[in-house]
Amino acid sequence: MSHSTAEKLVYMANQIATAFSAQKHAEAVEATRIHIQKFWDPRMRSKIAEHIAHGGEGLSPIAKEALEGLQAAKAA
Amino acid sequence: MSLVHEIDYGTPASKSEKLVSLTIDGMSVTVPEGTSIMRAAMELGNQIPKLCATDMLESFGSCRLCLIEIEGRNGTPASCTTPVAEGIVVKTQTERLKQIRKGVMELYISDHPLDCLTCSANGDCELQDMAGVVGLRDVRYGYEGENHTKLGKDESNPYFTYEQSKCIVCNRCVRACEEVQGTFALTISGRGFGSRVSPGMDEPFLTSECVSCGACVQACPTATLNEKAMYDIGTPEHSVVTTCAYCGVGCTFKAEMRGDELVRMVPYKDGKANRGHSCVKGRFAYGYAAHQDRILKPMIRSSIHEPWKEVTYEEAIAYAASEFKRIQEKYGKRAVGGITSSRCTNEETYLVQKLIRGGFGNNNVDTCARVCHSPTGYGLSQTYGTSAGTQDFDSVEETDVVLIIGANPTDGHPVFGSRLKKRLREGAKLIVVDPRRTDIVRSPHIEASYHLPLKPGTNVAIVTALAHVVVTEGLVNEQFVRERCDWDEFQDWAAFVADERHSPEAVEKYTGVDPALVRGAARLYATGGNGSIYYGLGVTEHSQGSTTVMAIANLAMATGNVGRNGVGVNPLRGQNNVQGSCDMGSFPHELPGYRHVSDDATRSTFEALWGVPLDDEPGLRIPNMFDAAVDGTFKGLYVQGEDILQSDPDTKHVSAGLAGLECLIVQDLFLNETANYAHIFLPGCSFLEKDGTFTNAERRIQRIRKVMAPKNGYADWEVTQLLANALGFPMTYTHPSQIMDEIAALTPTFTGVNYAKLDELGSVQWPCNDEAPEGTPIMHIGGFVRGKGKFVLTEYVPTDEKTGPRFPLLLTTGRILSQYNVGAQTRRTANVAWHPEDVLEIHAHDAENRGIRDGDFVKLDSRAGSTSLKAVISDRVAPGVVYTTFHHPVTQANVVTTDYSDWATNCPEYKVTAVQVSPSNGPTQWQEDYENLSRTSRRIAAEAAE
């Protein structure tokens, strides 16, 4: 497993998304978003937001949608 | 202050609800049916002379001293084996009884050394007492004939002696080993006059199967089995009731003292977790508290390459405060944090998290539960609404089927293990889910009905397969589910687990477990009566640790095994105060009482009392702290009572993180491995030297009591308070009871907790509040804390840690009976006699393929790193699986483990590492480099040390 922080955060976000993937898609996205909002320190969320801003490479569809939702909620 | 003398009623209490009245020595007494006459007499205060009886053991009737007379009955029956009967009239003292007893005692003493004045048990000997009680004044038989008085001593056990010449063959030790401990290590060898107590096959104690729990020593009525400390120090003169500082069972002990010297720790019968039993650690392994390695003065240095300099507390605290202020000014408020300890008290962990949230101004607080039971907190909170186990330990006495998953209670939680084994011997059935054939699978008089030896990392697949059988074979307790759980979620879950891909046959390709075993185990758990689940780190320390906890919770709900005595979901917590440290708000997203930091109403109650605004954003978890330190955004860390370098996974990454800190404060008893990277060392205080409370695995809050002054000058909470005050966050507590009062004022599940109540009741289990003023032994009675129980879908996701050609074996790690966690305490006791080093258990097939013989030095490689240690050929592990412990820093087993972790909590995946094993000639480069670092880093400047 890589020790690059961005890569590690992508891995972690995907892990969370996979754990919720047995649920319906919208529920899985929401559960992933809430989990990251609830448990990740602000610098971790900022770092993954930067990664999304650069295309979000490596993120699963559920993870990416959840993180975009997180960004949207923050902007709102 | 005096010795705490517990009444010995001679035989155990009867559980019958039917009462019987009788007359003893002219006095009426009413007791439960089944009570012995001996016990009934003691209820009246009449102590019938006895030697082979004690209330920790079933009656035996061999010593012939406790004889009585019953009106209308012939003879002189033994009061210990004769039950009470309605209306009988008993006499415990008559001329005939006096003569018989004196004659019996005369025979005992005729074969006993008359060295009472120099005997280690002088003043603490039941034989001596009974000689006095029966009025024995001489022995007519002389000592010329054949006797046992010249037999030698077995001093092989480091903690107690076996002095055969003083044995009266009362069998108490043998029965204690069988009934209380359940090891069956002792027997009576020989016959008649030649009868002697024998460990194993007439072996020395040390090399026998004896686990040194101390039950035999406790039971012995003479000096035959006696603590060596009694030889060295003498008998104690006062005692203090306190709580063990080892595992999460939380045994209550009497610390028996002479002045401020601890003579021995004796298990306390009124202890509600241990019921008078103990293990080798709590009973004997307390010597670390007085070990020469303890650091008693604060030390500082500006660089880890410099030797330590001893300073005053004022200097050390001032330096720490100035460094943390400097770092926060330079890098920001969130650049510092702290780690609380599951070995410290509730009050101390509460204070550290308060300092971090209120004094540092952020939520960068975490605790060692991160690396053990954080998935328990998450999983049980999601499904049941409470981050804790559901039962008390007494509940095991009512269980019918025990399902153990990923736990090794006879080694990790030995006193509970003994209570569990007792229930199994009474007839309860056992299912074990574990890659290893642990001792509980097959031991004397115990055999698991099912052992599911799954491949490491496949817990979710196996537990979901168990659920598949329950659902598809119609074994769901529908009434329970309809009443107490969310029915719609249950239906979704039932459809999910019923899918053929979750069947035992389908998952066999992952788990390697015979589907017939899985089906049999599921049927037994669902239909065998009260089904209880006990689990440990073999569940939580996986990339799907939280998912497995939820799968377990699902299974218990589906079968209706929650909310009453004898059932439930029981996490066996590793360290003494894991539950408490979590309760006290040690996680970075939660305030005390498991309330999220973003909750404005909760935060405002703390802000009002603490007088500072609190951060509403979650902080860093321990692994995130290391990542942030490597990244350069985290620069200061305060670690109380934890050795993260040795205990956390992927040691190289941890050390890189620690090396990136500009200020690391370590507060500990010893210069631990983490302290190699520290700049400030604050001396820690042992559990014997402070007041406070621990909360054990059954949510039981128990007092620890100071029995001697802190050798380092301050209790740990006082040092935290000094640091808080230096940082400008005032704290003015003068006793830990005041801290508990504050906890109670802020935490709804603790509102009824205070020291006066703990002193009165002995302990309470939270929730303890207006609704449950004396606590809550069993949770979720009548309904779940969260409302309706929540079924969660638990898809099996294989770990990304894969075996392959380079790393074909799976390493799983654990611990053993005699050592504890990173070994900082137990390595500094005589427990090293049983485990002087970590070894690698490897199956003969894997060893032979690699040319490895038993005892060979081998290299253990993984993608993360390598170490070397000795190999032990074992059939306890399956081919393809190897096992080791992490008790010794010389081995540094965590150099090998990876930083894969649980998806929900980042709890490390200690239990699955792909490795290769090969013959080796000596230490790896890492071990040599680390040894050098460790040696240079522990230097203390000579001028200051003198």
Side-chain angles (χ1 to χ4, degrees):
Chain A
M1 189 175 175
S2 167
H3 285 157
S4 149
T5 309
E7 283 179 36
K8 188 178 269 187
L9 294 175
V10 168
Y11 182 86
M12 288 166 59
N14 287 344
Q15 258 192 308
I16 296 163
T18 303
F20 291 121
S21 63
Q23 300 178 18
K24 295 181 184 79
H25 180 81
E27 290 173 9
V29 168
E30 180 63 0
T32 304
R33 184 190 70 76
I34 290 171
H35 191 91
I36 291 172
Q37 172 80 44
K38 201 170 167 184
F39 294 105
W40 284 24
D41 157 270
R43 84 195 73 184
M44 294 164 69
R45 300 203 306 268
S46 299
K47 192 99 180 175
I48 199 88
E50 275 176 41
H51 184 74
I52 296 248
H54 289 88
E57 187 185 346
L59 284 166
S60 71
I62 293 173
K64 193 171 182 191
E65 209 175 316
L67 288 163
E68 285 168 349
L70 200 60
Q71 288 303 106
K74 188 181 174 188
Chain B
M1 204 181 297
S2 60
L3 278 170
V4 175
H5 286 291
E6 295 168 273
I7 297 170
D8 184 351
Y9 290 90
T11 62
S14 166
K15 290 182 178 174
S16 174
E17 291 178 2
K18 185 179 175 188
L19 298 177
V20 171
S21 295
L22 66 158
T23 303
I24 300 176
D25 296 333
M27 306 289 283
S28 293
V29 63
T30 300
V31 293
E33 187 176 51
T35 302
S36 71
I37 290 175
M38 174 182 280
R39 187 177 180 102
M42 196 63 215
E43 297 277 2
L44 282 171
N46 291 8
Q47 187 177 9
I48 299 174
K50 65 180 182 61
L51 279 171
C52 72
T54 180
D55 58 12
M56 287 291 288
L57 304 172
E58 295 300 324
S59 57
F60 193 58
S62 81
C63 76
R64 315 313 298 167
L65 209 59
C66 70
L67 309 181
I68 48 160
E69 292 180 16
I70 303 173
E71 277 185 19
R73 294 192 193 178
N74 293 329
T76 54
S79 63
C80 64
T81 53
T82 306
V84 295
E86 186 64 39
I88 61 172
V89 177
V90 177
K91 288 186 177 172
T92 71
Q93 183 78 341
T94 67
E95 204 50 46
R96 179 166 66 150
L97 293 172
K98 282 196 279 186
Q99 290 307 316
I100 295 173
R101 285 179 189 147
K102 193 179 283 192
V104 168
M105 275 308 297
E106 193 175 1
L107 286 167
Y108 276 119
I109 300 302
S110 72
D111 191 12
H112 193 84
L114 295 180
D115 62 350
C116 288
L117 288 180
T118 55
C119 178
S120 61
N122 186 15
D124 186 38
C125 173
E126 292 181 42
L127 186 69
Q128 191 180 45
D129 293 345
M130 289 306 116
V133 163
V134 304
L136 184 69
R137 297 294 171 250
D138 63 358
V139 176
R140 293 166 292 170
Y141 307 110
Y143 290 85
E144 301 305 316
E146 191 177 356
N147 60 50
H148 300 93
T149 60
K150 300 289 189 293
L151 292 178
K153 279 187 197 176
D154 173 0
E155 298 189 276
S156 62
N157 186 291
Y159 297 117
F160 60 84
T161 55
Y162 170 38
E163 199 168 351
Q164 295 189 52
S165 63
K166 292 179 175 168
C167 179
I168 58 170
V169 202
C170 66
N171 250 287
R172 273 164 65 160
C173 57
V174 176
R175 289 180 286 137
C177 192
E178 293 175 2
E179 296 175 26
V180 179
Q181 168 57 28
T183 295
F184 293 78
L186 302 182
T187 189
I188 300 292
S189 65
R191 286 169 181 262
F193 183 77
S195 301
R196 291 287 96 187
V197 170
S198 164
M201 304 292 284
D202 279 327
E203 300 159 74
F205 262 90
L206 184 63
T207 53
S208 73
E209 290 175 333
C210 166
V211 293
S212 204
C213 68
C216 58
V217 179
Q218 182 74 1
C220 182
T222 71
T224 308
L225 289 160
N226 206 0
E227 296 94 344
K228 287 183 175 174
M230 294 281 279
Y231 279 81
D232 297 339
I233 304 171
T235 49
E237 43 77 28
H238 75 271
S239 49
V240 179
V241 175
T242 190
T243 306
C244 179
Y246 280 117
C247 79
V249 175
C251 296
T252 309
F253 280 88
K254 292 181 290 182
E256 295 197 340
M257 310 291 296
R258 177 152 287 281
D260 67 350
E261 184 172 19
L262 177 60
V263 178
R264 61 181 178 181
M265 296 286 280
V266 179
Y268 189 51
K269 283 195 296 189
D270 277 352
K272 294 185 176 65
N274 58 321
R275 301 290 182 193
H277 191 35
S278 60
C279 80
V280 62
K281 295 189 286 285
R283 178 74 155 91
F284 297 116
Y286 48 79
Y288 68 88
H291 196 275
Q292 61 182 10
D293 285 355
R294 266 190 76 175
I295 303 293
L296 302 176
K297 293 181 180 173
M299 301 189 295
I300 61 172
R301 59 185 175 186
S302 57
S303 155
I304 66 166
H305 305 295
E306 293 176 3
W308 287 104
K309 180 186 167 194
E310 290 181 348
V311 294
T312 64
Y313 272 101
E314 290 72 23
E315 287 175 275
I317 293 292
Y319 183 56
S322 70
E323 278 295 279
F324 269 48
K325 283 178 183 169
R326 177 187 65 77
I327 288 169
Q328 287 192 296
E329 279 171 19
K330 185 173 177 184
Y331 299 102
K333 191 174 68 173
R334 291 182 176 137
V336 300
I339 297 175
T340 74
S341 174
S342 293
R343 296 178 209 169
C344 287
T345 64
N346 285 317
E347 293 76 4
E348 285 161 348
T349 53
Y350 172 85
L351 225 54
V352 171
Q353 66 86 33
K354 178 177 177 179
L355 165 65
I356 292 162
R357 299 188 201 282
F360 296 178
N362 63 50
N363 288 311
N364 291 331
V365 55
D366 207 356
T367 186
C368 46
R370 174 66 52 211
V371 299
C372 65
H373 267 288
S374 51
T376 289
Y378 179 84
L380 295 184
S381 170
Q382 293 291 310
T383 49
Y384 295 173
T386 306
S387 299
T390 62
Q391 309 296 116
D392 58 6
F393 286 138
D394 285 351
S395 171
V396 77
E397 295 175 9
E398 301 296 326
T399 196
D400 300 308
V401 180
V402 180
L403 172 54
I404 300 177
I405 309 179
N408 185 8
T410 54
D411 276 29
H413 304 84
V415 169
F416 172 72
S418 290
R419 297 187 67 182
L420 169 63
K421 286 200 287 187
K422 186 171 188 176
R423 180 62 189 150
L424 295 173
R425 290 197 303 276
E426 289 169 351
K429 303 294 183 192
L430 175 65
I431 302 162
V432 178
V433 180
D434 202 295
R436 296 169 70 225
R437 198 194 67 234
T438 52
D439 286 346
I440 197 80
V441 173
R442 192 165 192 273
S443 61
H445 301 280
I446 288 170
E447 180 142 24
S449 300
Y450 295 94
H451 173 213
L452 313 184
L454 77 176
K455 289 180 185 165
T458 62
N459 284 331
V460 171
I462 208 91
V463 181
T464 305
L466 291 169
H468 173 92
V469 177
V470 168
V471 169
T472 58
E473 296 191 7
L475 306 178
V476 169
N477 184 335
E478 189 174 325
Q479 184 186 353
F480 179 94
V481 174
R482 282 187 180 277
E483 282 176 11
R484 304 200 192 178
C485 306
D486 186 305
W487 182 248
D488 291 339
E489 286 173 344
F490 165 74
Q491 287 181 306
D492 288 346
W493 173 81
F496 171 81
V497 299
D499 192 293
E500 186 53 30
R501 75 182 195 280
H502 297 304
S503 71
E505 293 74 17
V507 301
E508 184 186 7
K509 62 179 177 287
Y510 307 120
T511 65
V513 179
D514 179 352
L517 292 178
V518 180
R519 287 191 178 274
R523 290 168 193 148
L524 176 59
Y525 173 71
T527 65
N530 283 342
S532 56
I533 301 176
Y534 293 85
Y535 71 88
L537 305 184
V539 160
T540 56
E541 291 178 341
H542 287 276
S543 60
Q544 283 202 289
S546 292
T547 310
T548 309
V549 172
M550 293 187 288
I552 287 170
N554 291 338
L555 188 63
M557 284 192 291
T559 52
N561 279 313
V562 187
R564 65 179 188 279
N565 210 3
V567 299
V569 175
N570 303 275
L572 294 172
R573 305 280 187 162
Q575 300 197 59
N576 51 316
N577 202 32
V578 174
Q579 181 68 57
S581 69
C582 299
D583 301 341
M584 293 298 103
S586 293
F587 286 139
H589 65 286
E590 286 173 336
L591 289 157
Y594 303 100
R595 292 161 295 167
H596 200 269
V597 293
S598 63
D599 181 64
D600 292 340
T602 301
R603 223 174 43 255
S604 67
T605 63
F606 284 83
E607 289 172 336
L609 200 64
W610 293 356
V612 289
L614 298 178
D615 194 350
D616 63 355
E617 288 281 9
L620 293 167
R621 300 162 170 179
I622 292 174
N624 312 144
M625 290 180 188
F626 300 142
D627 293 341
V630 170
D631 254 13
T633 63
F634 190 72
K635 292 289 184 180
L637 182 63
Y638 168 36
V639 185
Q640 183 182 69
E642 274 305 304
D643 194 355
I644 47 180
L645 185 66
Q646 194 182 337
S647 64
D648 286 34
D650 195 2
T651 306
K652 288 180 180 173
H653 184 55
V654 176
S655 60
L658 295 179
L661 298 172
E662 292 185 8
C663 183
L664 172 60
I665 306 170
V666 168
Q667 184 178 358
D668 206 284
L669 297 176
F670 307 105
L671 275 174
N672 60 22
E673 307 310 310
T674 306
N676 288 338
Y677 290 88
H679 307 88
I680 298 165
F681 185 87
L682 301 172
C685 173
S686 83
F687 76 110
L688 298 167
E689 301 158 29
K690 59 190 178 186
D691 285 302
T693 57
F694 292 151
T695 305
N696 75 355
E698 45 171 5
R699 295 169 281 104
R700 187 180 300 284
I701 306 159
Q702 306 189 98
R703 281 295 315 276
I704 66 161
R705 295 182 174 88
K706 183 175 169 178
V707 300
M708 59 182 74
K711 294 182 189 299
N712 57 312
Y714 289 109
D716 293 322
W717 62 270
E718 291 178 291
V719 174
T720 302
Q721 178 162 287
L722 288 172
L723 184 56
N725 287 328
L727 282 163
F729 182 51
M731 291 186 187
T732 56
Y733 308 102
T734 56
H735 192 270
S737 61
Q738 297 162 349
I739 304 173
M740 180 54 81
D741 291 342
E742 183 173 313
I743 294 164
L746 290 167
T747 313
T749 47
F750 274 66
T751 54
V753 181
N754 55 63
Y755 276 32
K757 182 176 286 184
L758 293 173
D759 289 343
E760 180 193 343
L761 300 179
S763 62
V764 293
Q765 290 171 269
W766 68 257
C768 176
N769 45 29
D770 288 345
E771 290 78 44
E774 295 197 355
T776 310
I778 294 174
M779 297 201 73
H780 313 299
I781 294 174
F784 288 96
V785 168
R786 74 182 300 278
K788 292 288 187 184
K790 181 181 178 65
F791 281 90
V792 175
L793 307 187
T794 55
E795 190 72 68
Y796 169 59
V797 181
T799 173
D800 287 323
E801 176 68 1
K802 310 285 189 194
T803 54
R806 283 181 62 210
F807 303 105
L809 304 173
L810 280 178
L811 168 73
T812 184
T813 62
R815 61 177 162 168
I816 61 155
L817 171 66
S818 59
Q819 298 286 346
Y820 178 69
N821 204 269
V822 296
Q825 293 143 286
T826 45
R827 278 187 284 108
R828 292 179 171 95
T829 70
N831 278 23
V832 290
W834 289 279
H835 186 81
E837 59 188 333
D838 294 320
V839 296
L840 186 76
E841 289 185 21
I842 184 169
H843 192 272
H845 174 76
D846 295 322
E848 189 178 349
N849 282 348
R850 291 163 175 78
I852 294 166
R853 291 164 303 180
D854 193 66
D856 279 358
F857 221 45
V858 295
K859 188 176 174 204
L860 180 65
D861 280 302
S862 76
R863 294 180 181 92
S866 60
T867 188
S868 61
L869 68 174
K870 280 184 187 159
V872 170
I873 311 283
S874 169
D875 64 356
R876 284 154 51 105
V877 289
V881 177
V882 292
Y883 168 85
T884 191
T885 49
F886 59 101
H887 301 307
H888 294 268
V890 173
T891 317
Q892 289 270 10
N894 282 318
V895 171
V896 176
T897 55
T898 71
D899 67 352
Y900 285 116
S901 65
D902 173 47
W903 65 270
T905 64
N906 283 143
C907 180
E909 191 175 43
Y910 289 107
K911 301 296 184 185
V912 186
T913 308
V915 295
Q916 179 58 292
V917 179
S918 54
S920 169
N921 290 328
T924 62
Q925 189 62 48
W926 164 266
Q927 285 172 296
E928 289 184 354
D929 292 348
Y930 186 76
E931 167 63 21
N932 287 334
L933 169 77
S934 195
R935 193 173 52 250
T936 55
S937 184
R938 289 192 165 107
R939 289 171 299 156
I940 299 173
E943 61 273 18
E946 285 169 358

